mmCIF file of all heavy atoms in Angstrom:
data_model
loop_
_atom_site.group_PDB
_atom_site.id
_atom_site.type_symbol
_atom_site.label_atom_id
_atom_site.label_comp_id
_atom_site.label_asym_id
_atom_site.label_seq_id
_atom_site.Cartn_x
_atom_site.Cartn_y
_atom_site.Cartn_z
ATOM 1 N N LEU A 24 85.867 43.593 51.053
ATOM 2 C CA LEU A 24 84.666 43.172 51.808
ATOM 3 C C LEU A 24 83.495 44.167 51.453
ATOM 4 O O LEU A 24 83.668 45.382 51.534
ATOM 5 C CB LEU A 24 84.933 43.270 53.309
ATOM 6 C CG LEU A 24 83.768 43.048 54.278
ATOM 7 C CD1 LEU A 24 83.205 41.638 54.110
ATOM 8 C CD2 LEU A 24 84.247 43.253 55.736
ATOM 9 N N ALA A 25 82.395 43.594 51.132
ATOM 10 C CA ALA A 25 81.165 44.367 50.869
ATOM 11 C C ALA A 25 80.036 43.884 51.784
ATOM 12 O O ALA A 25 79.799 42.722 51.908
ATOM 13 C CB ALA A 25 80.711 44.184 49.397
ATOM 14 N N LEU A 26 79.436 44.857 52.445
ATOM 15 C CA LEU A 26 78.390 44.602 53.435
ATOM 16 C C LEU A 26 77.104 45.299 53.071
ATOM 17 O O LEU A 26 77.133 46.441 52.647
ATOM 18 C CB LEU A 26 78.761 45.049 54.829
ATOM 19 C CG LEU A 26 80.011 44.381 55.446
ATOM 20 C CD1 LEU A 26 80.288 45.069 56.811
ATOM 21 C CD2 LEU A 26 79.838 42.864 55.609
ATOM 22 N N LYS A 27 75.944 44.593 53.205
ATOM 23 C CA LYS A 27 74.682 45.192 53.034
ATOM 24 C C LYS A 27 73.942 45.314 54.335
ATOM 25 O O LYS A 27 73.899 44.359 55.106
ATOM 26 C CB LYS A 27 73.831 44.374 52.055
ATOM 27 C CG LYS A 27 72.427 44.900 51.820
ATOM 28 C CD LYS A 27 71.837 44.250 50.566
ATOM 29 C CE LYS A 27 71.841 42.783 50.591
ATOM 30 N NZ LYS A 27 71.556 42.153 49.255
ATOM 31 N N PHE A 28 73.369 46.488 54.669
ATOM 32 C CA PHE A 28 72.710 46.715 55.916
ATOM 33 C C PHE A 28 71.221 46.429 55.770
ATOM 34 O O PHE A 28 70.560 46.935 54.825
ATOM 35 C CB PHE A 28 72.970 48.110 56.423
ATOM 36 C CG PHE A 28 74.347 48.385 56.936
ATOM 37 C CD1 PHE A 28 75.335 48.805 56.112
ATOM 38 C CD2 PHE A 28 74.636 48.139 58.289
ATOM 39 C CE1 PHE A 28 76.642 48.976 56.568
ATOM 40 C CE2 PHE A 28 75.894 48.336 58.757
ATOM 41 C CZ PHE A 28 76.926 48.739 57.865
ATOM 42 N N LEU A 29 70.700 45.661 56.689
ATOM 43 C CA LEU A 29 69.272 45.244 56.696
ATOM 44 C C LEU A 29 68.632 45.610 57.981
ATOM 45 O O LEU A 29 69.242 45.677 59.072
ATOM 46 C CB LEU A 29 69.197 43.698 56.452
ATOM 47 C CG LEU A 29 69.846 43.198 55.186
ATOM 48 C CD1 LEU A 29 69.847 41.650 55.272
ATOM 49 C CD2 LEU A 29 69.100 43.634 53.951
ATOM 50 N N TYR A 30 67.314 45.816 57.969
ATOM 51 C CA TYR A 30 66.444 45.996 59.152
ATOM 52 C C TYR A 30 66.888 47.159 59.985
ATOM 53 O O TYR A 30 67.001 47.161 61.210
ATOM 54 C CB TYR A 30 66.457 44.721 60.015
ATOM 55 C CG TYR A 30 66.207 43.450 59.259
ATOM 56 C CD1 TYR A 30 67.058 42.372 59.277
ATOM 57 C CD2 TYR A 30 65.010 43.304 58.482
ATOM 58 C CE1 TYR A 30 66.831 41.248 58.565
ATOM 59 C CE2 TYR A 30 64.760 42.148 57.751
ATOM 60 C CZ TYR A 30 65.688 41.106 57.816
ATOM 61 O OH TYR A 30 65.412 39.954 57.085
ATOM 62 N N GLN A 31 67.179 48.299 59.279
ATOM 63 C CA GLN A 31 67.544 49.519 60.009
ATOM 64 C C GLN A 31 66.317 50.178 60.564
ATOM 65 O O GLN A 31 65.416 50.608 59.830
ATOM 66 C CB GLN A 31 68.262 50.476 59.035
ATOM 67 C CG GLN A 31 68.679 51.792 59.672
ATOM 68 C CD GLN A 31 69.309 52.740 58.709
ATOM 69 O OE1 GLN A 31 69.751 52.314 57.605
ATOM 70 N NE2 GLN A 31 69.398 54.009 59.041
ATOM 71 N N GLY A 32 66.255 50.265 61.862
ATOM 72 C CA GLY A 32 65.080 50.819 62.533
ATOM 73 C C GLY A 32 65.136 52.350 62.639
ATOM 74 O O GLY A 32 66.049 52.983 62.132
ATOM 75 N N GLY A 33 64.162 52.931 63.251
ATOM 76 C CA GLY A 33 64.103 54.364 63.539
ATOM 77 C C GLY A 33 63.829 55.124 62.250
ATOM 78 O O GLY A 33 63.321 54.606 61.249
ATOM 79 N N GLN A 34 64.199 56.384 62.303
ATOM 80 C CA GLN A 34 63.881 57.313 61.249
ATOM 81 C C GLN A 34 65.239 58.070 61.012
ATOM 82 O O GLN A 34 65.303 59.289 61.220
ATOM 83 C CB GLN A 34 62.753 58.306 61.685
ATOM 84 C CG GLN A 34 62.272 59.181 60.525
ATOM 85 C CD GLN A 34 61.101 60.011 61.008
ATOM 86 O OE1 GLN A 34 60.285 59.544 61.811
ATOM 87 N NE2 GLN A 34 60.950 61.176 60.512
ATOM 88 N N THR A 35 66.193 57.351 60.523
ATOM 89 C CA THR A 35 67.546 57.874 60.427
ATOM 90 C C THR A 35 68.171 57.384 59.121
ATOM 91 O O THR A 35 67.622 56.623 58.357
ATOM 92 C CB THR A 35 68.410 57.368 61.560
ATOM 93 O OG1 THR A 35 68.452 55.931 61.576
ATOM 94 C CG2 THR A 35 67.872 57.848 62.907
ATOM 95 N N GLU A 36 69.431 57.910 58.910
ATOM 96 C CA GLU A 36 70.189 57.472 57.740
ATOM 97 C C GLU A 36 71.612 57.121 58.175
ATOM 98 O O GLU A 36 72.210 57.869 58.962
ATOM 99 C CB GLU A 36 70.259 58.590 56.687
ATOM 100 C CG GLU A 36 68.869 58.937 56.104
ATOM 101 C CD GLU A 36 68.794 60.271 55.454
ATOM 102 O OE1 GLU A 36 69.868 60.897 55.286
ATOM 103 O OE2 GLU A 36 67.706 60.752 55.227
ATOM 104 N N ILE A 37 72.160 56.024 57.715
ATOM 105 C CA ILE A 37 73.561 55.680 57.908
ATOM 106 C C ILE A 37 74.383 56.435 56.832
ATOM 107 O O ILE A 37 74.215 56.199 55.632
ATOM 108 C CB ILE A 37 73.807 54.140 57.774
ATOM 109 C CG1 ILE A 37 73.085 53.415 58.894
ATOM 110 C CG2 ILE A 37 75.305 53.861 57.855
ATOM 111 C CD1 ILE A 37 73.119 51.911 58.745
ATOM 112 N N VAL A 38 75.206 57.300 57.336
ATOM 113 C CA VAL A 38 75.989 58.127 56.361
ATOM 114 C C VAL A 38 77.518 57.942 56.500
ATOM 115 O O VAL A 38 78.272 58.591 55.760
ATOM 116 C CB VAL A 38 75.650 59.625 56.536
ATOM 117 C CG1 VAL A 38 74.186 59.906 56.136
ATOM 118 C CG2 VAL A 38 75.878 60.116 57.980
ATOM 119 N N GLY A 39 77.936 57.096 57.389
ATOM 120 C CA GLY A 39 79.359 56.802 57.502
ATOM 121 C C GLY A 39 79.544 55.433 58.194
ATOM 122 O O GLY A 39 78.799 55.088 59.127
ATOM 123 N N VAL A 40 80.562 54.687 57.729
ATOM 124 C CA VAL A 40 80.802 53.362 58.343
ATOM 125 C C VAL A 40 82.315 53.202 58.505
ATOM 126 O O VAL A 40 83.092 53.430 57.500
ATOM 127 C CB VAL A 40 80.269 52.228 57.498
ATOM 128 C CG1 VAL A 40 80.581 50.856 58.122
ATOM 129 C CG2 VAL A 40 78.779 52.362 57.299
ATOM 130 N N ASP A 41 82.758 52.760 59.693
ATOM 131 C CA ASP A 41 84.127 52.374 59.928
ATOM 132 C C ASP A 41 84.163 50.896 60.336
ATOM 133 O O ASP A 41 83.239 50.405 60.887
ATOM 134 C CB ASP A 41 84.748 53.211 61.082
ATOM 135 C CG ASP A 41 85.535 54.372 60.551
ATOM 136 O OD1 ASP A 41 85.457 54.712 59.332
ATOM 137 O OD2 ASP A 41 86.228 55.027 61.350
ATOM 138 N N ILE A 42 85.307 50.210 60.080
ATOM 139 C CA ILE A 42 85.452 48.848 60.410
ATOM 140 C C ILE A 42 86.803 48.584 61.033
ATOM 141 O O ILE A 42 87.794 49.230 60.627
ATOM 142 C CB ILE A 42 85.218 47.950 59.182
ATOM 143 C CG1 ILE A 42 85.121 46.476 59.570
ATOM 144 C CG2 ILE A 42 86.264 48.134 58.080
ATOM 145 C CD1 ILE A 42 84.612 45.546 58.394
ATOM 146 N N ALA A 43 86.897 47.686 62.027
ATOM 147 C CA ALA A 43 88.126 47.393 62.631
ATOM 148 C C ALA A 43 88.038 45.950 63.199
ATOM 149 O O ALA A 43 86.944 45.416 63.467
ATOM 150 C CB ALA A 43 88.511 48.350 63.806
ATOM 151 N N GLN A 44 89.222 45.378 63.470
ATOM 152 C CA GLN A 44 89.198 44.110 64.203
ATOM 153 C C GLN A 44 88.762 44.292 65.652
ATOM 154 O O GLN A 44 88.993 45.359 66.178
ATOM 155 C CB GLN A 44 90.636 43.561 64.176
ATOM 156 C CG GLN A 44 90.775 42.123 64.726
ATOM 157 C CD GLN A 44 92.210 41.595 64.686
ATOM 158 O OE1 GLN A 44 92.939 41.811 65.620
ATOM 159 N NE2 GLN A 44 92.548 41.035 63.514
ATOM 160 N N VAL A 45 87.996 43.354 66.164
ATOM 161 C CA VAL A 45 87.533 43.499 67.521
ATOM 162 C C VAL A 45 88.663 43.719 68.466
ATOM 163 O O VAL A 45 89.701 42.967 68.381
ATOM 164 C CB VAL A 45 86.705 42.212 67.915
ATOM 165 C CG1 VAL A 45 86.399 42.219 69.406
ATOM 166 C CG2 VAL A 45 85.422 42.126 67.124
ATOM 167 N N GLY A 46 88.602 44.697 69.299
ATOM 168 C CA GLY A 46 89.654 44.994 70.264
ATOM 169 C C GLY A 46 90.710 45.990 69.726
ATOM 170 O O GLY A 46 91.537 46.454 70.500
ATOM 171 N N SER A 47 90.671 46.326 68.439
ATOM 172 C CA SER A 47 91.617 47.189 67.848
ATOM 173 C C SER A 47 91.028 48.621 67.775
ATOM 174 O O SER A 47 89.839 48.783 67.618
ATOM 175 C CB SER A 47 92.008 46.699 66.448
ATOM 176 O OG SER A 47 92.773 47.688 65.802
ATOM 177 N N SER A 48 91.938 49.588 67.846
ATOM 178 C CA SER A 48 91.520 50.990 67.593
ATOM 179 C C SER A 48 91.992 51.511 66.237
ATOM 180 O O SER A 48 91.953 52.706 65.988
ATOM 181 C CB SER A 48 92.116 51.885 68.691
ATOM 182 O OG SER A 48 93.527 51.794 68.729
#
């Protein structure tokens, strides 16, 4: 799975991403 992030507001940087099934830890 490849995701592209769009419309990132503020004045920040995304430097880490985790993914999980909804409801899962």
Side-chain angles (χ1 to χ4, degrees):
L24 173 63
L26 299 177
K27 177 162 57 192
F28 287 89
L29 304 168
Y30 311 123
Q31 180 182 341
Q34 188 174 328
T35 60
E36 295 160 13
I37 297 174
V38 293
V40 180
D41 264 10
I42 190 167
Q44 189 178 92
V45 171
S47 172
S48 59

